[in-house]
Amino acid sequence: MYIKKLIAPIIVTILLLSYYGFILLNLVRIPESMGIRILLLVIPLGFMGVSIYVLFERIKEIRSGDEDDLGKY
């Protein structure tokens, strides 16, 4: 069963998304110009997207049975 192996990546991704979400909420309150604010908002959004992408890649990896890639080398 690979359900137990999926718990840790999902929990870590949820923690990362909540952390970046908290950062986004605080960056909205910055009284800077709109250009700087947009630039500061793009960075955490990018990290959130990458975190979700890595989670999906990890799920595919676990389902295919290639959990230990380092064992091949």
Side-chain angles (χ1 to χ4, degrees):
M1 233 22 194
Y2 58 84
I3 300 293
K4 289 184 181 180
K5 296 177 182 178
L6 292 176
I7 294 173
I10 290 173
I11 290 174
V12 169
T13 303
I14 290 171
L15 289 173
L16 280 172
L17 291 177
S18 62
Y19 175 71
Y20 292 132
F22 179 74
I23 290 174
L24 281 173
L25 289 176
N26 286 325
L27 287 176
V28 171
R29 299 181 201 164
I30 293 178
E32 294 293 327
S33 68
M34 189 56 101
I36 293 173
R37 190 181 307 175
I38 289 173
L39 180 66
L40 290 175
L41 292 176
V42 167
I43 295 169
L45 284 173
F47 285 148
M48 291 171 87
V50 168
S51 298
I52 292 171
Y53 173 75
V54 169
L55 174 66
F56 286 133
E57 289 297 315
R58 181 67 180 147
I59 289 172
K60 280 194 246 179
E61 187 177 296
I62 289 173
R63 286 185 179 168
S64 70
D66 293 335
E67 300 136 23
D68 189 17
D69 289 341
L70 294 177
K72 296 178 184 177
Y73 303 108

